[in-house]
Amino acid sequence: MVCTICEDMLKKHANQQHYGLAFDHQPSLESLIESAKENCCICRVLLAKFKTIQPYAVLGKSMARPGKTEAVLTQASLTYNREWAAYRLDIRLNQRHNLERVGSFFLKQLPVKELTSPLPNNTSSYGNVQLARKWLNECVNNHRMCRHVSPAATWYPTRLVDMGSMAMGHVKVVQQGENDHQITGRYVTLSHCWGLRPQKVLRLTNDTLAQFEDGIKIEDLPTTFQHAMDFACRLGVRYIWIDSLCILQDSEKDWLYQSARMDQVYNNSLCNISATAASSGSEGIYADRDSKQYWVDTVVLNTGKFQEQATNRSQALVKPARQANGNVKSKLIPARSSEVPTYTILNLELWEATVDQGPVNKRGWVLQERLIAPRVLHFCHDQIAWECWEKGALESLLSLPDGMPHVQLKAGIISESRLKGMVPSVDGKLLREARLSRGRLKNGKYTDIDEHMTFNDYVPSVYTFEVWKRLVETYSKTALTNRTDKLIALAGIAKIMSRRILSGRDEDYVAGMWRPHLESQLLWHVDPAVDKEGKYLLDSKRPGIEHYRAPSFSWAAIDSERGINYADVTDFGLDVETDLLIKIETVILKYKTDDRFGMLTGGFLRLKGVLKRIIIVDSTTTSSQRQGYTRYHWQLVRNGKTLPEPYKMIYLDAPYNDQEFICGPDRRTYCLPVCFDRSPEPKELICLLLQAVGDDMPDTFRRIGLTKISRYHKKDQGEILTISGEESSIDCKWDGRIGKHTLRII
């Protein structure tokens, strides 16, 4: 159902603005709360979103639009998508809050079986056991891809928890063959949050090993473990793998050995049970839900009035100027009849809000658990969800004919590759097409300048790197309790990428990147962050040497809550001689163990390129202070003098840690031109920002950021690329015959 405000807007076009299909929506926070209490399927979602983005006190201060006397909290707009034959309803905050989008809905005429409610009112129900069995059996028996990636049940982890005695009130930790125990059948795994006090989590140690092998009382287990074991047994599974109970937590040797096998532990499981909505082990996975709330709802949308508007203005439906993703720019939508049709309304962000944003999926280790396991059964805050290599499903959308439509909002409504989708020819292709469709157009269409890398005989395909790009960008936003786990917590996924998709050679993996086309992968960056007052946020950090995990040239050396932007991978095609300005000669990495995907203790790469002296300026220390995106800039230094031109497209890796040591004169900072970007002319020039390490390590630098020189500033690009004659005076080996420095980046 919808509230009166939403109904009047969609059916009567109440409070329509003077341009297009835009409407004033809720006048105040109080009104929104009342509508949510009425169980409005739109306002309920908005209120839940509000609770995550701003204090109520701030949201309550609405701003009146110019020329209006009343205040407006939210504004709505409707657009039509030809490809999906559907409408998109966007809800945004008012101008005071920068028109931030707080909700998007998908309106389509669908043959809904029935409007369903969550019955019974707890996710532990027998009905959910039956539903989970249905999903599981369908996947095991019918999904070709899932059968391919899930090996036969012939491999077991070192230890498992045997739940065969749960009816007698206890479980025990077992090892294959030890004490004559023979493990047979399949096992499941558990993804969970350890909570704010991980030291209190029940864990396996050398002191508790014998006790756990004798038996653990059910009541001594955290609630999450109890619920997961209960549901696993009801699925007919006897064994479960839980990290804290199956890895010796006080043995670095066992921890490193088991961590290196995570790809096998999760990939060989029958299913991963995910405590998606639980922030700690005390919360459990079972949840109550409101049996009066409809999961799928319908709304009346008056499209006839749209046609009437077009007729009154003597306008035909305008052919869209951009159709790469199916979106229509025209705001006039045709209706086929004068009837007022009923549309099914879906929250386009439902999967993200229910699954992706669950507390457990914000943990770094859990991402690889989720992706490596052939199947994941999510226990969310009000329902269960299913995720495998071929299907995603929400319990709340079972009444829809095709289940859950996988679409994303990056550019209108476009087909989405699900996060668990890791097939380059399918998922990588979708990701690349979606990304390119948002870029620069040529003759109204996007151009893939590296189309040759998409051909079947090109290995590794550029589609492979599109999958990896998404994985890294997602992973870089997650949290790790131990900062040194940055690479090892991703090792399982990296191994699968290497074995199944890339060459299979361990040496091709380079601290979160890949040796093929490594030059382009060095160009990752962290976007500057600015708060609503325009103040620059120093939120990306570089852990100290005591938390070392990767060389500075790797994205894994940086922590940022907003994540990093992985570079677009390219071989530069026919432009390699003119557009690629460096050449990597050697990559040396030092490992803590024999696992080349695991923890690092050091490393460097050696390359040839041309260094330019620069000075990095923090404008807050100058007379022309800037607080926003352009707080920092850099300038060329030539013959001891700072040139006047400031370069403001700068992306510092970790200003929180570095600004004191890299800003100002005599900081031994340099610009290293790397390449021109892969776009039609004119092209941007992209450079790394480096700092000399010290006199005791000649020719050695660390990365401190990245910079771009605008495609429209060809003179500035030429200034940077011109050999000035003072390159030989830089404290780095210079080869005058080829006009290149030879340097190391650590």
Side-chain angles (χ1 to χ4, degrees), residues 448-737:
D448 191 346
I449 201 168
D450 285 319
E451 186 178 9
H452 65 281
M453 295 180 69
T454 68
F455 299 154
N456 292 334
D457 58 349
Y458 194 99
V459 179
S461 163
V462 72
Y463 294 145
T464 299
F465 292 105
E466 292 289 348
V467 173
W468 184 251
K469 173 182 172 71
R470 177 175 62 176
L471 292 177
V472 169
E473 290 179 349
T474 302
Y475 176 72
S476 65
K477 297 175 184 177
T478 61
L480 291 164
T481 302
N482 299 312
R483 294 181 177 183
T484 53
D485 292 352
K486 193 82 168 189
L487 285 175
I488 198 169
L490 190 67
I493 304 175
K495 289 177 181 178
I496 287 180
M497 292 287 290
S498 178
R499 285 198 304 262
R500 295 180 181 160
I501 302 172
L502 292 168
S503 63
R505 300 192 307 270
D506 290 357
E507 59 268 26
D508 278 347
Y509 188 62
V510 182
M513 300 176 290
W514 303 93
R515 188 60 183 90
H517 320 312
L518 181 58
E519 287 85 353
S520 62
Q521 294 172 74
L522 296 178
L523 302 179
W524 56 269
H525 70 273
V526 181
D527 281 327
V530 175
D531 65 17
K532 291 187 180 298
E533 283 70 44
K535 184 178 179 181
Y536 194 102
L537 300 176
L538 306 175
D539 69 339
S540 57
K541 301 177 182 179
R542 187 193 313 276
I545 191 66
E546 69 276 10
H547 297 295
Y548 180 89
R549 69 277 183 102
S552 67
F553 63 77
S554 168
W555 58 265
I558 299 298
D559 288 328
S560 174
E561 290 184 5
R562 295 174 298 106
I564 62 99
N565 292 288
Y566 199 83
D568 299 338
V569 181
T570 177
D571 65 356
F572 294 94
L574 299 176
D575 303 317
V576 64
E577 295 297 328
T578 57
D579 284 8
L580 181 59
L581 307 174
I582 65 168
K583 181 175 178 57
I584 296 175
E585 296 183 331
T586 308
V587 179
I588 302 294
L589 297 175
K590 298 178 181 179
Y591 304 91
K592 189 167 186 176
T593 67
D594 293 336
D595 183 11
R596 286 180 174 265
F597 296 88
M599 303 178 82
L600 297 175
T601 58
F604 67 89
L605 59 78
R606 181 181 290 111
L607 60 80
K608 290 188 181 299
V610 180
L611 292 168
K612 299 288 183 176
R613 283 194 181 94
I614 66 168
I615 179 174
I616 297 176
V617 179
D618 180 354
S619 71
T620 61
T621 64
T622 68
S623 58
S624 57
Q625 295 188 9
R626 297 187 304 271
Q627 289 284 350
Y629 290 110
T630 59
R631 169 176 171 174
Y632 298 97
H633 70 264
W634 63 273
Q635 296 167 249
L636 280 171
V637 177
R638 186 166 295 165
N639 299 321
K641 296 182 178 180
T642 301
L643 301 189
E645 182 65 32
Y647 297 92
K648 299 178 182 179
M649 292 177 64
I650 183 172
Y651 305 84
L652 295 178
D653 293 345
Y656 179 88
N657 307 92
D658 295 345
Q659 62 175 344
E660 179 182 351
F661 308 103
I662 65 176
C663 294
D666 303 320
R667 297 298 187 178
R668 303 180 72 179
T669 50
Y670 300 87
C671 167
L672 175 69
V674 175
C675 66
F676 288 97
D677 75 343
R678 299 296 284 161
S679 65
E681 291 284 0
K683 300 181 178 183
E684 284 183 339
L685 175 63
I686 308 176
C687 314
L688 291 180
L689 299 179
L690 306 176
Q691 183 179 44
V693 172
D695 294 333
D696 56 335
M697 299 181 69
D699 309 328
T700 303
F701 302 79
R702 70 183 182 107
R703 173 183 157 141
I704 56 176
L706 178 141
T707 186
K708 299 179 181 180
I709 293 81
S710 170
R711 66 184 80 253
Y712 304 111
H713 295 173
K714 286 297 183 182
K715 181 180 178 181
D716 294 335
Q717 292 182 0
E719 185 79 23
I720 294 166
L721 295 177
T722 299
I723 300 297
S724 66
E726 70 166 2
E727 285 78 10
S728 59
S729 67
I730 292 177
D731 189 19
C732 184
K733 184 178 179 181
W734 172 255
D735 188 336
R737 294 172 304 165

Side-chain angles (χ1 to χ4, degrees), residues 104-124:
S104 289
F105 301 86
F106 188 71
L107 280 66
K108 185 176 176 63
Q109 290 181 294
L110 293 172
V112 180
K113 300 172 186 176
E114 59 183 357
L115 298 185
T116 56
S117 295
L119 295 173
N121 57 5
N122 190 281
T123 53
S124 64

Side-chain angles (χ1 to χ4, degrees), residues 14-34:
N15 299 316
Q16 184 173 3
Q17 297 175 4
H18 62 276
Y19 58 91
L21 298 176
F23 308 86
D24 291 342
H25 182 230
Q26 287 286 358
S28 65
L29 179 62
E30 292 74 18
S31 175
L32 177 68
I33 293 173
E34 287 303 312

Side-chain angles (χ1 to χ4, degrees), residues 267-281:
N267 191 228
N268 285 283
S269 68
L270 175 65
C271 179
N272 180 50
I273 295 175
S274 176
T276 303
S279 299
S280 68

Side-chain angles (χ1 to χ4, degrees), residues 171-431:
V171 296
K172 60 182 179 180
V173 174
V174 297
Q175 296 188 48
Q176 179 73 288
E178 191 168 292
N179 299 323
D180 296 325
H181 190 94
Q182 295 299 317
I183 299 174
T184 58
R186 304 299 299 270
Y187 68 92
V188 296
T189 54
L190 174 67
S191 290
H192 66 103
C193 286
W194 286 49
L196 297 177
R197 303 175 68 186
Q199 68 277 8
K200 297 294 184 180
V201 175
L202 187 69
R203 63 182 65 199
L204 180 71
T205 64
N206 282 292
D207 291 337
T208 61
L209 178 59
Q211 173 191 341
F212 284 13
E213 289 178 336
D214 287 339
I216 310 170
K217 293 181 180 179
I218 299 297
E219 59 264 28
D220 292 339
L221 294 168
T223 306
T224 294
F225 293 6
Q226 294 183 37
H227 288 178
M229 291 178 184
D230 171 69
F231 205 88
C233 288
R234 294 163 73 189
L235 289 177
V237 179
R238 178 171 174 175
Y239 299 98
I240 188 170
W241 188 92
I242 302 176
D243 51 5
S244 61
L245 300 182
C246 297
I247 300 176
L248 289 170
Q249 300 296 315
D250 61 347
S251 168
E252 183 182 39
K253 180 180 179 181
D254 190 63
W255 186 88
L256 288 171
Y257 175 74
Q258 302 297 345
S259 297
R261 305 175 84 201
M262 287 299 97
D263 60 317
Q264 298 180 71
V265 170
Y266 284 90
N267 191 228
N268 285 283
S269 68
L270 175 65
C271 179
N272 180 50
I273 295 175
S274 176
T276 303
S279 299
S280 68
S282 63
E283 296 179 28
I285 65 174
Y286 296 150
D288 294 328
R289 59 261 190 106
D290 184 2
S291 59
K292 297 179 181 179
Q293 174 181 308
Y294 283 128
W295 268 340
V296 176
D297 221 322
T298 58
V299 297
V300 174
L301 178 61
N302 184 358
T303 59
K305 195 168 184 178
F306 303 159
Q307 187 180 44
E308 178 185 336
Q309 290 175 351
T311 303
N312 291 340
R313 299 172 189 171
S314 300
Q315 292 178 327
L317 184 65
V318 180
K319 182 179 180 180
R322 180 172 177 169
Q323 299 182 21
N325 56 19
N327 290 323
V328 176
K329 278 192 172 181
S330 169
K331 295 178 179 177
L332 302 175
I333 301 117
R336 297 183 177 179
S337 72
S338 59
E339 297 179 1
V340 181
T342 299
Y343 285 76
T344 299
I345 182 168
L346 302 175
N347 177 10
L348 275 172
E349 297 172 312
L350 181 59
W351 179 269
E352 179 182 1
T354 305
V355 177
D356 291 342
Q357 294 302 317
V360 79
N361 287 325
K362 296 179 181 178
R363 288 187 58 226
W365 278 98
V366 169
L367 178 65
Q368 76 166 0
E369 296 167 8
R370 178 180 173 186
L371 295 182
I372 294 172
R375 307 161 191 93
V376 182
L377 183 61
H378 294 278
F379 281 81
C380 308
H381 69 280
D382 66 349
Q383 60 186 296
I384 62 172
W386 175 264
E387 195 175 24
C388 66
W389 283 55
E390 290 194 22
K391 178 179 180 176
L394 287 167
E395 181 188 356
S396 60
L397 298 183
L398 292 178
S399 61
L400 298 183
D402 298 319
M404 182 185 61
H406 284 286
V407 293
Q408 61 180 1
L409 303 175
K410 305 294 185 187
I413 302 174
I414 59 178
S415 298
E416 179 192 41
S417 167
R418 294 180 296 105
L419 179 61
K420 198 167 173 62
M422 294 171 61
V423 181
S425 60
V426 178
D427 303 286
K429 184 178 181 180
L430 277 172
L431 289 167

